[in-house]
Amino acid sequence: MDTTNWQDVTDLDLLKACIPDNEDAFAVLYQRYEKRVFQYLMTVVNDAALAEEILVEVMLAIWKGLKTFQGQSKVSTWIFGIAHHKAVDGIRKATSQQRGGTPLDDILESVESGHNPLQDAHRHRTAELTNQAIATLSIDHREILHMAFFEELSYPEIAELLHIPVNTVKTRVYYAKQQLKKSLQHQGVTEEML
Amino acid sequence: MAPEQPIHAEATLLSGYATRTLTEEERQHIEQHLKTCSACRQELQEVTAMQAALKTAIHQRKGPSPAAFAKVMNRIHEETQPAPREIKLGVNPAWWERMEHVFRSMFEVRWAPMLASFLIIGQAALLLSVLSGPGGQVGTQPGPVYDRGIPQGTPAIPLITLQVSFVETAQEIHLRGLLHELGAGSSMAQPWTADIP
Ligand SMILES: [Zn+2]
């Protein structure tokens, strides 16, 4: 495979190119998924240091599990399935160690100075409040909203990676959305602000 | 009954409708339903607004630090790279290129710190005249060899290049002495080989 054009390669071909032990191909796969997996973990664990620890575990598990990927599901579904398992493990360990989370005002990128500083500050504030609203939801709710709203996975894909029935996914997304709405209102975020 | 109980089963498909992840059959059903149900139209509007807010909020979060990538790549590199069994040190016009290659491969493996301290402790000096060609400056007082491990930022394989600084007074005998200490043959006949455990 032409090593210079990996950016254009599909996830599946990239995954195949990683076998056996192609570190260059894996580095590309890593960078393709690093931020997505990390953001998912941040949504679930609410702790940047812990999310990064779990990210390392997820990536190593992907590397070790490359040969076990059967191609029956999408690569992204497979990867988020691994991330889900590792997140559950990580939360269990963190709970037993009674670790604290990251302060919520510290999880956002600093505001870039754009054309309209007032609007930028406003958007930043809304993002901050929205992240706080997400953090107040139950783990199940914020996880499924991340999958459905951010990753835009289909109901069957979410069902597969969470090992729950498709109908449970549909109703859980519905209730999670109602909770997010309440939580946003509680944070003072109105529909006009969004 | 909870106040947020969906009035219609269709309401639980609206997020999928908004993200275009429904089956064609489901999508057509929802489209028909929306024509006659104002409650679901209102719900769809909320779902769309919530989704946009959530996406914006998550996109503005910081990403992971570069340390995570380095940690993962180092771990898998350690696992996949077998330690070299034999290292050939060719003494020919391109020998320094080979040395660089040899040192690089040495410093990718577990025992690199040991080798580094070897070089520091052994006050051996490498020969300047080999680098500068025949007639290079050769002094009388040998000095220490300085070394540094410098991680290079290539994304795929984090490499460590060993930089060796030759003191101007180094002599051939010091180079041979160093190679001898590393387990290489001391004959000037090439190639020199060093067996690394
Ligand atoms: Zn309806």
Side-chain angles (χ1 to χ4, degrees):
Chain A
M1 181 168 295
D2 185 352
T3 56
T4 57
N5 287 324
W6 269 334
Q7 301 303 340
D8 304 325
V9 165
T10 65
D11 281 357
L12 186 59
D13 285 339
L14 187 54
L15 194 138
K16 284 176 185 162
C18 294
I19 307 167
D21 293 348
N22 186 332
E23 292 170 33
D24 291 343
F26 184 72
V28 178
L29 185 70
Y30 183 106
Q31 277 163 345
R32 202 174 274 190
Y33 276 94
E34 171 187 57
K35 197 159 185 189
R36 285 170 68 185
V37 171
F38 180 76
Q39 295 306 2
Y40 159 73
L41 294 170
M42 274 302 286
T43 294
V44 176
V45 305
N46 269 336
D47 178 331
L50 180 60
E52 202 164 295
E53 276 174 38
I54 303 173
L55 172 69
V56 169
E57 294 303 318
V58 172
M59 290 300 181
L60 289 171
I62 291 169
W63 171 256
K64 284 172 189 152
L66 286 169
K67 294 186 196 84
T68 67
F69 179 73
Q70 298 296 315
Q72 284 151 343
S73 51
K74 278 164 66 180
V75 173
S76 58
T77 311
W78 179 66
I79 287 176
F80 280 104
I82 293 172
H84 168 71
H85 281 293
K86 294 290 178 187
V88 171
D89 286 352
I91 289 169
R92 195 179 299 137
K93 278 185 213 155
T95 309
S96 68
Q97 292 167 6
Q98 296 198 318
R99 290 171 60 144
T102 310
L104 277 161
D105 56 355
D106 198 36
I107 67 170
L108 294 187
E109 297 276 14
S110 48
V111 190
E112 290 166 37
S113 50
H115 299 294
N116 192 335
L118 198 67
Q119 198 177 3
D120 291 342
H122 171 78
R123 282 184 54 194
H124 188 80
R125 181 70 187 140
T126 306
E128 200 171 68
L129 292 170
T130 306
N131 274 305
Q132 284 172 6
I134 295 167
T136 63
L137 304 180
S138 71
I139 291 179
D140 281 353
H141 279 172
R142 55 188 198 247
E143 176 175 53
I144 209 149
L145 284 183
H146 193 102
M147 298 294 184
F149 284 11
F150 187 77
E151 283 297 331
E152 302 191 355
L153 301 181
S154 70
Y155 301 126
E157 283 167 348
I158 299 172
E160 186 193 334
L161 72 88
L162 294 181
H163 302 291
I164 56 176
V166 174
N167 279 333
T168 306
V169 175
K170 291 174 184 169
T171 52
R172 193 182 287 177
V173 174
Y174 177 82
Y175 287 119
K177 176 256 154 192
Q178 307 304 336
Q179 289 302 318
L180 178 61
K181 184 186 167 187
K182 276 187 194 173
S183 187
L184 282 169
Q185 284 169 346
H186 189 75
Q187 297 287 341
V189 181
T190 60
E191 270 188 63
E192 296 77 58
M193 287 169 73
L194 298 175
Chain B
M1 190 181 281
E4 63 268 45
Q5 187 82 17
I7 311 159
H8 308 125
E10 285 83 1
T12 65
L13 290 177
L14 293 173
S15 67
Y17 180 78
T19 56
R20 300 167 195 271
T21 54
L22 297 181
T23 63
E24 182 54 24
E25 199 184 341
E26 286 171 326
R27 191 192 65 77
Q28 284 181 8
H29 176 73
I30 293 298
E31 224 143 68
Q32 285 305 312
H33 181 80
L34 285 169
K35 282 178 185 165
T36 56
C37 182
S38 63
C40 282
R41 282 201 299 271
Q42 168 68 25
E43 176 67 14
L44 177 62
Q45 211 173 353
E46 281 182 20
V47 164
T48 309
M50 299 285 145
Q51 197 211 352
L54 184 137
K55 285 189 96 160
T56 307
I58 292 173
H59 274 304
Q60 288 198 37
R61 290 184 198 158
K62 289 172 188 164
S65 76
F69 177 70
K71 201 181 276 181
V72 169
M73 295 314 289
N74 279 329
R75 287 258 290 270
I76 68 172
H77 192 66
E78 274 173 26
E79 285 167 22
T80 56
Q81 240 18 54
R85 284 275 150 255
E86 183 180 317
I87 293 170
K88 295 192 174 183
L89 304 178
V91 181
N92 58 42
W95 76 274
W96 58 85
E97 288 173 12
R98 293 206 198 180
M99 281 294 274
E100 202 250 1
H101 178 76
V102 165
F103 277 128
R104 187 186 295 172
S105 68
M106 282 175 174
F107 277 74
E108 279 167 15
V109 293
R110 290 184 299 285
W111 38 270
M114 191 197 76
L115 178 63
S117 52
F118 223 120
L119 292 176
I120 295 164
I121 294 163
Q123 289 260 312
L126 294 181
L127 188 62
L128 178 71
S129 62
V130 180
L131 268 187
S132 56
Q137 293 182 349
V138 180
T140 50
Q141 284 292 95
V145 176
Y146 304 98
D147 69 48
R148 283 184 284 154
I150 299 173
Q152 291 183 335
T154 61
I157 309 166
L159 295 177
I160 293 176
T161 298
L162 175 71
Q163 283 196 345
V164 180
S165 306
F166 300 100
V167 291
E168 296 220 331
T169 53
Q171 294 183 353
E172 182 186 338
I173 190 169
H174 303 120
L175 169 60
R176 277 201 268 166
L178 172 65
L179 290 168
H180 187 65
E181 274 196 70
L182 288 172
S186 58
S187 160
M188 274 309 281
Q190 50 174 297
W192 292 3
T193 62
D195 288 326
I196 308 295

